[in-house]
Structure formats: C-alpha cells, structure tokens
Amino acid sequence: MRFDWIAKYWPLLIDGAIQTISLLVISVCVGFVLAIGLAFAQVSGGLLSRNLSRAYCTFLRGTPLLIQLWLLYYGVGSLLPLVPGLRQSFLWPILREGFFFAAVSFTLNFAAYQAVILRGALLSVPKGELEAGRAVGMSPFTLVRRIWLPRAIRIALPTIAGEVVLQLKSTPLAFTVTVMDLYAVAYKVRQDTLLVYEPLLVVTLFYVALTAVIARSFKFVEAQVPIRR
Amino acid sequence: MPQTSVAALQVENIHKTFSGLEVLRGISLEANSGDVLSIIGSSGSGKSTLLRCINLLEKPDQGRIIVAGEELKLKPARQGGLEPVDRRQLERLRTGLGMVFQSFNLWAHRTVLENLIEAPIHVQGKSRREAIEKAEALLAKVGLSDKRDVYPAFLSGGQQQRAAIARALCMDPAVMLFDEPTSALDPELVGEVLKVIRDLAEEGRTMLLVTHEMAFARDVSSHVVFLDKGDIAEQGPPQQIFDAPLTERARAFTSGFSR
C-alpha cells in the first residue's frame, strides 16, 4: 500500500470533495423545493396537475439516472449552442460545463423521488390537525406553511435522510460528463500512478465521512421535535 | 324576517346528506350571548355533523349560518353542498368560533405554548409577546402552566384536551363549539376537562356542547337540544328534557340516564 501520492494530489482531492458536496447540496435543496410543488400537485391539485406530477415522478423514477444525465448532456447540451445569442451571454460559462448538466439532472431526479415521499407524508398528517388549523381561521396557505408541510417533513425526516445518502452515492455519475468530482479525482490518480486500490480507498473514506455527517445532521434535526413512538 | 335581538349564533334549516343518507334534516338553532346549549342524542343522530357544519368543516347542503348578526355568505359548490362565497369571510368568522375536538387535534410538532400562540400570531396578527402573555394566562387557568414547553405526545388525554380548550380560547371566540370533548378520554380524566368547561360556562361564555355526559349537560346547560335521526326531536330547559320530556323519543333516550 502506498499513500505518498496524497501529498501531491490532496488539493485535487479537496476540489473533488467540493464538487461532490456542491452537487449533493444543490440537487437536494433545489430538488426538495421542486418536490414540494410536485407533492402538493398530487395531493390537492386538479386532475391535470395531479396527472402531470404523477407522470413526471413515474418517468424520472422509472429511468436510470445515468441515461437521464446523458440525455441532458448529449441531447439538450448539443442543442444549447444553437440558441441564438446564448454562446455570447454571461450564462455560457455555466451552461457549457458538465457540472451544470449533472446538477440539473440530479436535481430533477431527486425531486421525483422526494415528491413521492412527501406525498405520502402529507397524506399521513392526521386530518384532525388540519381541521384544527382551519377551525382557527387559517387560510389555505397559512395552513400549508405552518401546519401541513412542517408536520409532513417531520414525518418524512428519517426517509429523507436515507434519500440524501443515496443521492450522495449517485454523484459519481457526474464523472461521465467531465465533472472532476471525488470519483473523477480517484480515477485520475489511478491513471497517473497506476495504483489500483489506494485512490479508491481514500475516496471511499470521504464518502463514508460525508454519510456520517449527513446522518448526524438529520439526527440532530429530528431531536429538535421529539415525537413519541 | 322576524325581528330579533342579535343572537351570538344562529343557524337555520341546516341540511346535510352523506352519500344518500340524510344526516341533518333542517336544523335550526339559536344561542344568545351566555347560553350554554347542549346537543344530545344517540350516536349517528347528527350531533357532530351539525357542529361541524356551523364552522364549515363540513359543507352543509342547505342552510344559513349567522354569527353575531353577520351571515356567512354561501353559494352552491360544484361538487354539491354549499361553499363560502368569500374565503376570507369564512376565515374571519371561524376565528370567532372556538372549536374543541373529540380527539384534541393539538399540532404534534409544536409545544403546548406554541399550539396556543400559533393562531393569534399567524391568523390574528398579534405580536408574539402579547400572544404569549395571553397564552400563559390561559394555561394557568386550565392548570397546565408547568406543561407549557412540552410536546402534546407527552401529555395525558385530559391534559391535551385542556390545552386544546386553551388554544381555542386564545382567539377570544364569541362562541365555543365542543364536539364530544370527553368521549376520547379515560374515565378518570373526564372530570378535569369537565371542570374546565364548567368554569367557562359559569363565566358566561356562549357555548355549544355536543356531549354524551348527560349529568353534566343537565348541570351546566341553559338549553338542551335532543337530536334524533337528523331532526330536533325536542328542545327546552334541561329539567324538561331530562325529567319531564314531552316526546316519546326524548323519554326513551333520557330514561336510560335517569338517576
């Protein structure tokens, strides 16, 4: 076992970790906001929005993330330069990067999974607690903001924690669209040094550590509202 | 239109049908300020549905609801039943109708105090300080000062119901609606909740009380309404309903409880 390469590659490893964490945080945060909309569309939307949301979730959960990523990167990505003026716009430095496509596809995918979880959680909030909100004169929006959604998120919290960990482990797919994430760094080190296992072991430790941080954070949040049983 | 002084709460000709079953067949009630109106009757007689129609948790098929002289504007809904013309009016009137549920329905993700100050702050727009001051006074009144920072799941049923009553009182409702407030409680916890309700009655609060506690209803009520199969079979002062009912149906029902 040789680890002397770390001395040379640690800045790259840190950059890789930052890319991985960025992808995770962006996709989880933005995806969660999208999921809220998708879940409410299914729970209390009209026929059209309900079916659209369902179709979205079925499609994105029913196809491999890798294929979604490639469809975006090679499909949409190859169309973008054809949009007049886009190449000259200030957005182009972002839009031409693999990172952008990875972030978008991970976000859309996470939103689909999260929407289904949130839908279940919204439905499992006791009806009576919602009635109590209506009975004190809450508007539909206040009810959602103060009672329904926070209550549902509390119910879904353990499941969400699991989803975030799963999402972390999807991020290496970004490597396939030129993102220098943790896994890409390991790959590069292997190519440069011809070491087979050591770079993989080191990034594995990174992933385990990140998972531990995620689990800890969610435990902390859960402890804020003790719910019996 | 008959000329009357303004009643605290007036409902007229409430009809409600659940999938073909007529649960309420034109109920009219009136509660003046300070009245304690008990609604009794066997299970399935429509008591709870009537109460829930008053604040539109249930949409009546027909009828008028007038709170302190202000009529709730209703229009036919597309899916049947009546719905409010103006959602804001409904929300405003609801703040004047304090509802207490059979299953307490405290918000499980908030402490007792947070349950109490939620609506004053986020519905009535009071300041947090003002809301807390009022909530603490009410918690003291229902004997729960020491539970202010506890989550509902860690309270007994009786404590939860007392907290729920305090939550409703925080809004200064003109009328309190109690929907079988003690039916979900263990027998030894019923007393503490009834005591709170009795205190409110003695303060002169206007209340509608759906209950199975006959002795209590007889004690605190100024007026008793006996519902049977969606109709008011008989109503009058408690002495009449419990001791000398005029109708056969009321006699059959209350004789089971005579002491």
Side-chain angles (χ1 to χ4, degrees), chain A residues 168-188:
Chain A
L168 168 66
K169 289 179 296 182
S170 302
T171 55
L173 291 179
F175 158 72
T176 64
V177 293
T178 74
V179 176
M180 276 302 270
D181 75 325
L182 266 177
Y183 174 71
V185 172
Y187 186 82
K188 180 178 167 45

Side-chain angles (χ1 to χ4, degrees), chain B residues 23 39-49 180 210-212 214 225-231 233 249-250 252-254 257:
Chain B
V23 182
I39 303 167
I40 62 171
S42 51
S43 298
S45 59
K47 311 182 295 290
S48 289
T49 306
E180 300 193 28
V210 168
T211 188
H212 288 292
M214 294 305 150
V225 175
F226 169 56
L227 277 193
D228 186 40
K229 300 193 180 78
D231 276 322
R249 287 194 285 178
F253 182 71
T254 54
F257 305 97

Side-chain angles (χ1 to χ4, degrees), chain A residues 35-46:
Chain A
I36 291 173
L38 288 166
F40 273 107
Q42 289 186 30
V43 172
S44 56

